[in-house]
Amino acid sequence: MITLTSSNPATGGTFVARHEGRVVFVRGSAPGETVVARLLEDPDDAADARFWRAEAVEVLEASPDRVPSVWPEAGTDGVGGADWAHIALPAQRRIATEVLQDLLSRAHVESFPVEDAQVEPAPHDGEGLAWRTRVRFAVDEQGHVGMRGWRSHDVRPVGEDPLSVPAITALDVPSWTPPAGTEAIDVVGTSTGAAAVVVVGRTLDPASLVIPDSWGQASVSVQNSSGLHPVRGDGLVRERVADREFRVSQTGFWQSHREAATLLSDVVAGDLDVRPGDHVWDLYGGVGLFAASAARAAGEGGEVVTVEGNARASALAAENLADLPAARAERGDCLAWVRTAVRAGTRPDLVVLDPPRAGAGAELIRELTAATRRRIVYVSCEPSTLARDLAVAERHGWRIADLRAFDLFPHTHHIESVAVLEPAS
Ligand SMILES: C[S@@+](CC[C@H](N)C(=O)[O-])C[C@H]1O[C@@H](n2cnc3c(N)ncnc32)[C@H](O)[C@@H]1O
């Protein structure tokens, strides 16, 4: 245990403190706060480490940003997934903005005024509660259902969960006693109010699953070593964005905040500004969220190709977009697919890309900046890799025409950003 005073935010939701000259990244603290913290490294083993990590266990002098946690079970030794629940919501956004601006500055992004990058709340978000539509419960060796601790394999008990949508909390999954062999329980609460439960365990027998009454009409599947087995329903969930329904695998990717799909779809459509006849690439396209509005705007003379690595998601994208003549779904690794298309002489007018946290990477950015005619819209859930990739685009002669960031993960340090790139000249 050491006493630390934290200062500016670091990436990953921690705050920077110093102990005898060494940087310590403190979790569970807030800017300007003095805490007693438990070191996560043994100081004898980590004597030569450049930095240490610690978790606050007692507040000695509270930051003005500290409030009673919206989810006390996510505090010290608690569940992960709500690492800023003890910080006032406006302060969370101010701190996330500081992190974003710092990352852009450190990446030497030059074509966009860094101070204009500001984290905005999601629409209708109030106190930032009841937003999460995808939750993974863990199961310990005694069969108790809980959630994993922060950077931990331990399963911690969970009672009230203020961040999940009511369709999830209504199922009361933590009071269920799962069958032996259950490793996790994935729960989805959809935009249509329906719920789905996937019971995960390599050796589970779908035929022997007894669905508890508390799960109401939720669709239920078992995922074991041979794949996903629907027990009730068809293994899919239906998500609605404006007048369009998207079918998504119960275990597949869909934006997590209940407002995210609609918000991002609107922002991307506005930023792309697709014209009739345009040729558009939707990279890391999932089940076709961004391709749908692009294909509608491109019309019959246009072409929108959505590229996705996951076979099931790509097949569902093809089905979700089947009524749109301009749309086509392809399965493949985005970098390999783009290289092949560029070698074949194809040049898109517009590109939207939405990679996982690792970002697009320098190679893909180089290919896209060389091939794209008008605009690239980059949707990112990890600002550090976004900043890195934006700087690469600038070095290849493109400029950042706009950058917006959204608090789509309230009470956590995560943010979603959308950057618009155009040729600099
Ligand atoms: C953040 S999600 C975005 C999905 C979609 N744009 C949406 O908003 O619903 C990233 C997607 O990229 C896919 N993916 C990850 N790496 C990939 C790669 N190298 N090539 C193609 N797709 C990939 C994942 O399967 C996932 O569906």
Side-chain angles (χ1 to χ4, degrees), residues 253 255 284-286 289-290 308-310 332-334 354-356:
F253 179 86
Q255 303 286 349
Y284 307 92
L289 175 65
F290 301 137
E308 163 61 43
N310 179 281
D333 170 71
C334 285
D354 182 10

Side-chain angles (χ1 to χ4, degrees), residues 43-369:
D44 294 330
D45 294 347
D48 296 331
R50 270 193 309 122
F51 60 82
W52 288 345
R53 295 166 311 141
E55 183 169 27
V57 294
E58 186 190 342
V59 179
L60 297 180
E61 221 172 291
S63 158
D65 295 327
R66 183 173 280 272
V67 291
S69 172
V70 298
W71 194 2
E73 286 171 344
T76 307
D77 289 332
V79 300
D83 52 357
W84 284 3
H86 60 286
I87 298 175
L89 197 54
Q92 294 177 29
R93 292 173 184 146
R94 189 198 74 229
I95 296 164
T97 296
E98 243 179 85
V99 172
L100 174 63
Q101 294 183 351
D102 185 52
L103 289 166
L104 293 169
S105 303
R106 282 170 192 263
H108 303 292
V109 160
E110 285 171 355
S111 61
F112 186 78
V114 162
E115 61 282 6
D116 287 359
Q118 299 281 338
V119 176
E120 308 168 34
H124 323 295
D125 212 10
E127 298 301 309
L129 304 177
W131 57 267
R132 199 174 260 159
T133 65
R134 264 89 187 142
V135 173
R136 166 157 279 210
F137 292 94
V139 181
D140 70 13
E141 279 168 14
Q142 288 74 47
H144 300 128
V145 178
M147 288 183 182
R148 296 232 181 262
W150 176 68
R151 290 196 182 166
S152 160
H153 289 296
D154 295 346
V155 178
R156 310 263 159 84
V158 55
E160 296 276 303
D161 165 4
L163 300 193
S164 292
V165 292
I168 292 178
T169 51
L171 305 183
D172 195 17
V173 172
S175 349
W176 183 51
T177 306
T182 304
E183 293 155 27
I185 304 158
D186 289 332
V187 187
V188 176
T190 71
S191 51
T192 55
V197 182
V198 180
V199 185
V200 183
R202 275 159 291 184
T203 58
L204 286 179
D205 173 9
S208 65
L209 185 75
V210 180
I211 301 175
D213 292 343
S214 58
W215 292 3
Q217 292 310 304
S219 54
V220 178
S221 299
V222 165
Q223 180 155 48
N224 62 21
S225 52
S226 64
L228 186 72
H229 305 275
V231 176
R232 183 165 69 198
D234 59 3
L236 300 174
V237 292
R238 275 99 187 141
E239 297 284 1
R240 181 156 283 284
V241 178
D243 58 353
R244 178 165 288 274
E245 184 181 273
F246 292 86
R247 298 184 336 138
V248 189
S249 165
Q250 284 171 353
T251 54
F253 179 86
W254 185 254
Q255 303 286 349
S256 178
H257 190 292
R258 59 179 150 73
E259 297 290 334
T262 299
L263 171 70
L264 293 174
S265 167
D266 287 350
V267 170
V268 167
D271 287 341
L272 279 177
D273 195 16
V274 177
R275 301 174 196 160
D278 271 344
H279 184 169
V280 186
W281 291 348
D282 169 29
L283 305 180
Y284 307 92
V287 296
L289 175 65
F290 301 137
S293 53
R296 196 176 279 179
E300 289 198 11
E303 187 181 38
V304 177
V305 189
T306 182
V307 185
E308 163 61 43
N310 179 281
R312 185 81 185 108
S314 182
L316 286 166
E319 290 174 25
N320 291 332
L321 303 169
D323 60 314
L324 295 162
R328 183 156 56 85
E330 296 220 358
R331 180 194 170 192
D333 170 71
C334 285
L335 177 58
W337 186 90
V338 166
R339 277 189 176 139
T340 307
V342 169
R343 269 194 218 114
T346 318
R347 290 189 63 196
D349 297 299
L350 303 162
V351 173
V352 53
L353 72 159
D354 182 10
R357 285 190 189 157
E363 264 310 285
L364 181 56
I365 296 293
R366 194 178 60 76
E367 295 280 1
L368 294 178
T369 49

